[in-house]
Amino acid sequence: MAFISSQKTAPAGLSKPLKASKASRSDRPAHQNRWATGVWNTVAIGFAVVMGFPIYWAALTTVKSNRDLLSRNPTFWPTHFDLGSYTTIFHDHDLPIALENTALITVGAVLAGLVVGLLAAIAVARFRFRGRNFFIVTMLVVQMVPLLSLIIPLFLILKNIGLYNTLFGVIIAYLVFTIPYVVWTLRSFIVNIPKELDEAAMVDGCTRWGAFFRVVLPLTVPGLVTTGVYCWIQAWNEFIIANTMLSDNSTHTGMVWLTSYSAGPTYAADYGAQMAGSLLISLPVIILFVIFQKRVASGLTAGAVKG
């Protein structure tokens, strides 16, 4: 009975066996995987504690009494809860106006930035035209320019066209940093969408705009959500342009109101009220990020394969 060996013989020229490749993570012993997982979990918890402690301290300050706040030995937990800081904040008549102005400016800047940026991203991703590469590089360079260096040109432009100290003027000013980011980010998403899908839709009877609304736009939704959330955070927290372009109390945004509130002689030493105002202004951004954090995480990697 013939016996056939399934093992391959080594080449005659190789006197030593080949070294085994580096063991993959799945080939490691179970106790080593558990040890590595424990180390990384400890590091992650440490980072979370360091990053989350300022937020915890700010929230703690809002519910402490003045006696606890001014104590020489600060405690990590209040002796008794005091919500007087929130009462002081809600009695300020300028806060609702500031929050309303912030919401209007942010929504306007995000919507205008997404519409204009999406159309520009489609143009540079789908069509070949003279100056296309220059336009793409310009979008990248504009993001590197410090926003502070654009204050004087923006101020002169808005003042000459009569939009100084108006919410609409600030929305236009915010497009300086929202549109380049949207164009650069959405371009990667649109490049990954095969042109054959557009052509197949047009073969089935769709017009070019119909193919855009039925094929390209639905596939770009993760990118729109990602860029929209980041534009929202930038516009909501922006301070320099709003503080320069808005001079009246009736047009102040939340960040400008918080700065003037903290620097005023009446509430300069009311740390609890200042922290309550900070948390109240930050709350919409935190809630928005928690709601869309999965889409933001998936959107950041979806456009990183090609483009």
Side-chain angles (χ1 to χ4, degrees):
M1 181 175 178
F3 176 76
I4 301 175
S5 175
S6 60
Q7 295 181 345
K8 295 181 179 180
T9 58
L14 297 177
S15 57
K16 296 181 179 179
L18 295 174
K19 293 183 179 180
S21 60
K22 188 177 181 179
S24 62
R25 184 177 181 180
S26 59
D27 296 333
R28 294 175 183 172
H31 68 279
Q32 292 186 5
N33 287 333
R34 288 196 296 270
W35 182 83
T37 303
V39 170
W40 285 114
N41 287 341
T42 304
V43 172
I45 292 173
F47 272 107
V49 170
V50 172
M51 299 298 291
F53 182 77
I55 300 176
Y56 167 74
W57 193 258
L60 184 65
T61 304
T62 62
V63 294
K64 276 186 173 182
S65 63
N66 291 331
R67 183 178 181 181
D68 290 340
L69 288 175
L70 301 177
S71 175
R72 291 186 176 181
N73 300 315
T75 59
F76 290 92
W77 191 254
T79 54
H80 67 278
F81 288 92
D82 186 359
L83 299 179
S85 300
Y86 291 97
T87 305
T88 304
I89 284 294
F90 286 121
H91 278 88
D92 193 291
H93 299 291
D94 293 333
L95 177 60
I97 299 174
L99 292 178
E100 182 181 354
N101 293 335
T102 307
L104 291 175
I105 291 175
T106 303
V107 172
V110 171
L111 292 179
L114 288 180
V115 172
V116 178
L118 175 61
L119 296 177
I122 291 174
V124 297
R126 282 287 196 257
F127 303 102
R128 302 283 178 181
F129 54 89
R130 182 176 297 179
R132 173 176 171 272
N133 293 332
F134 175 77
F135 177 77
I136 295 173
V137 174
T138 303
M139 291 295 103
L140 181 62
V141 171
V142 168
Q143 298 181 72
M144 301 177 184
V145 177
L147 189 60
L148 192 61
S149 63
L150 303 176
I151 288 297
I152 295 178
L154 287 174
F155 174 79
L156 294 177
I157 293 173
L158 294 181
K159 193 171 183 61
N160 290 332
I161 62 177
L163 294 179
Y164 174 73
N165 198 28
T166 62
L167 302 183
F168 184 66
V170 176
I171 292 174
I172 293 178
Y174 282 2
L175 296 181
V176 172
F177 59 83
T178 56
I179 289 180
Y181 176 77
V182 173
V183 172
W184 189 258
T185 306
L186 288 184
R187 173 182 166 272
S188 301
F189 284 90
I190 298 171
V191 166
N192 289 328
I193 301 174
K195 293 182 180 179
E196 289 76 9
L197 295 178
D198 305 7
E199 297 170 356
M202 288 188 286
V203 169
D204 290 340
C206 287
T207 61
R208 185 174 292 276
W209 281 106
F212 167 73
F213 284 110
R214 294 173 185 272
V215 177
V216 178
L217 188 59
L219 295 175
T220 319
V221 169
L224 288 173
V225 173
T226 304
T227 54
V229 170
Y230 274 93
C231 289
W232 180 284
I233 294 174
Q234 289 182 354
W236 187 274
N237 293 329
E238 201 285 328
F239 169 73
I240 298 175
I241 294 178
N243 189 43
T244 307
M245 305 300 172
L246 302 174
S247 58
D248 295 340
N249 291 335
S250 60
T251 57
H252 278 175
T253 61
M255 296 300 294
V256 179
W257 169 85
L258 182 62
T259 303
S260 59
Y261 185 86
S262 303
T266 305
Y267 302 104
D270 193 350
Y271 305 118
Q274 294 177 24
M275 290 299 175
S278 302
L279 288 181
L280 193 61
I281 293 175
S282 304
L283 198 59
V285 176
I286 296 174
I287 294 175
L288 185 71
F289 200 83
V290 170
I291 293 175
F292 292 104
Q293 57 93 14
K294 289 185 179 179
R295 286 186 175 272
V296 171
S298 61
L300 287 175
T301 56
V305 179
K306 186 180 177 182

